[in-house]
Amino acid sequence: MSDTSVAAWAALLRVHAALVPQLDRELQAACGLPLTWYDVLLELNSAPGRRLSMGELGAVAVVSRSRVSRVVDQLAGAGLVTREANPDDGRSAYATITEAGRARLRAAAPVYLGGIERHFTSRMGAAEARGVATALEKVLAALHRS
């Protein structure tokens, strides 16, 4: 592995380790919403019918598959998500964002997007941002194929 490859990987890990807690602190301070909640609400809001099975949610959310059920339970307790039994499979359930969840997501979006702009994208040019997005999407696509 080249020095450049190792440097790219190390930079990705360091940025993630520094930026995620920063965004979490900002969201919690401004909106009382942890980043894990925001991520799950964002995925549910953009899903068809604004709902996903727990397995689907675990595959797309940044929250680990093992934690997604606990986060959904917390969101349900706060009235931001409902958990519904899957009529086709009694062993699984769906999570559906509520109107209250959509309202909290909309209220938190400017804080989240502002943090991304302030701490991440403002540090690079448009071409660099496109390059980062393209490279990471290639990695993701390859991982999904394997």
Side-chain angles (χ1 to χ4, degrees):
M1 185 180 281
S2 73
D3 288 347
T4 303
S5 297
V6 172
W9 176 247
L12 175 66
L13 291 178
R14 286 192 310 270
V15 166
H16 183 270
L19 187 52
V20 166
Q22 179 68 35
L23 291 174
D24 184 57
R25 283 189 299 275
E26 291 177 8
L27 275 170
Q28 290 208 46
C31 309
L33 198 68
L35 182 58
T36 54
W37 287 24
Y38 184 89
D39 178 52
V40 169
L41 292 173
L42 183 64
E43 293 297 343
L44 290 173
N45 193 57
S46 63
R50 293 189 172 77
R51 79 176 191 170
L52 291 169
S53 71
M54 299 306 286
E56 292 167 329
L57 187 54
V60 297
V62 176
V63 178
S64 69
R65 287 179 189 252
S66 61
R67 283 197 60 216
V68 75
S69 183
R70 186 167 21 142
V71 172
V72 167
D73 287 343
Q74 293 167 343
L75 287 164
L80 305 179
V81 165
T82 59
R83 186 189 276 261
E84 304 161 11
N86 181 343
D88 300 325
D89 180 1
R91 297 168 295 161
S92 68
Y94 287 105
T96 305
I97 191 170
T98 64
E99 283 306 314
R102 294 187 74 213
R104 286 286 295 276
L105 181 65
R106 280 190 303 273
V111 174
Y112 178 74
L113 295 172
I116 291 170
E117 169 65 24
R118 209 170 32 264
H119 304 299
F120 187 68
T121 55
S122 69
R123 309 296 183 204
M124 59 185 89
E128 289 171 312
R130 274 192 304 278
V132 168
T134 299
L136 294 177
E137 288 296 332
K138 281 183 188 178
V139 172
L140 246 152
L143 288 169
H144 287 303
R145 285 192 303 269
S146 56

